[in-house]
Amino acid sequence: MAHELHVTRARELTPADNRLWLEIRRVLHAYEPLRATRAPLVVDVDAGRVQLAGRTRSEALRLTAAYLVSFVRGVTAVQNDIVSDDMVVLAVADALADDPLTAPHVVQVNARNGAVTLVGEVTSPEVERRALELAESVPLATAARSELAIVRPPFAAGSVR
């Protein structure tokens, strides 16, 4: 199958919990936008209480997964621990904005299943190293790489060349 949602069990389940897990997997798999992204999800079921973990491409998909599961017959509670790439991008962008060395630069942050790519222009190798350090230090990120270009800073108006 070209698009396959990856839903795995967090642990061995009782027969009743396994039946509920299979129904949750079916419901998640039936939702095409989630299936098309090939989201790696982990579902744990314990007497009707469901814990969702893993990764989604967007915050909307993260929230939708929990919403869909909440309507499965037999589910009594849903704990949504899924991490969306939107959450990762926001956390890395905040870290870059809070750092005095990286804050003056416009760095685009992209994420795919938690792996971060930094894109844009910075004025020195030190800024690039710091941006990468900050991205790698964000707990939600699984990895970070730089596609940053190092460019000379523009001259300020009225400065002597």
Side-chain angles (χ1 to χ4, degrees):
M1 181 179 280
H3 300 296
E4 182 63 38
L5 179 67
H6 301 286
V7 181
T8 57
R9 292 173 185 85
R11 60 184 171 82
E12 283 297 313
L13 302 174
T14 66
D17 285 343
N18 192 58
R19 282 190 295 279
L20 187 54
W21 179 87
L22 288 169
E23 181 59 17
I24 290 167
R25 182 184 180 281
R26 187 195 65 72
V27 166
L28 292 173
H29 195 276
Y31 186 63
E32 174 59 22
L34 188 60
R35 185 174 69 241
T37 63
R38 305 181 79 190
L41 299 178
V42 179
V43 177
D44 190 19
V45 180
D46 185 10
R49 292 180 306 280
V50 177
Q51 181 181 12
L52 301 174
R55 300 271 176 175
T56 59
R57 293 285 293 135
S58 70
E59 186 67 6
L61 287 175
R62 182 185 87 81
L63 296 172
T64 299
Y67 181 76
L68 292 171
V69 168
S70 72
F71 285 98
V72 173
R73 183 184 201 129
V75 171
T76 58
V78 179
Q79 180 179 328
N80 190 351
D81 294 330
I82 297 171
V83 175
S84 71
D85 285 339
D86 293 340
M87 294 166 66
V88 176
V89 167
L90 182 60
V92 172
D94 285 348
L96 294 172
D98 288 343
D99 188 84
L101 189 60
T102 58
H105 298 84
V106 178
V107 176
Q108 178 181 342
V109 180
N110 299 318
R112 178 83 177 183
N113 290 327
V116 173
T117 303
L118 303 176
V119 180
E121 296 178 345
V122 295
T123 54
S124 71
E126 292 79 23
V127 175
E128 179 185 31
R129 275 194 296 278
R130 182 65 180 148
L132 202 51
E133 260 177 32
L134 290 167
E136 290 170 341
S137 73
V138 170
L140 298 178
T142 59
R145 69 184 180 101
S146 171
E147 291 183 6
L148 294 168
I150 300 169
V151 298
R152 281 185 20 180
F155 288 101
S159 66
V160 178
R161 290 185 190 205

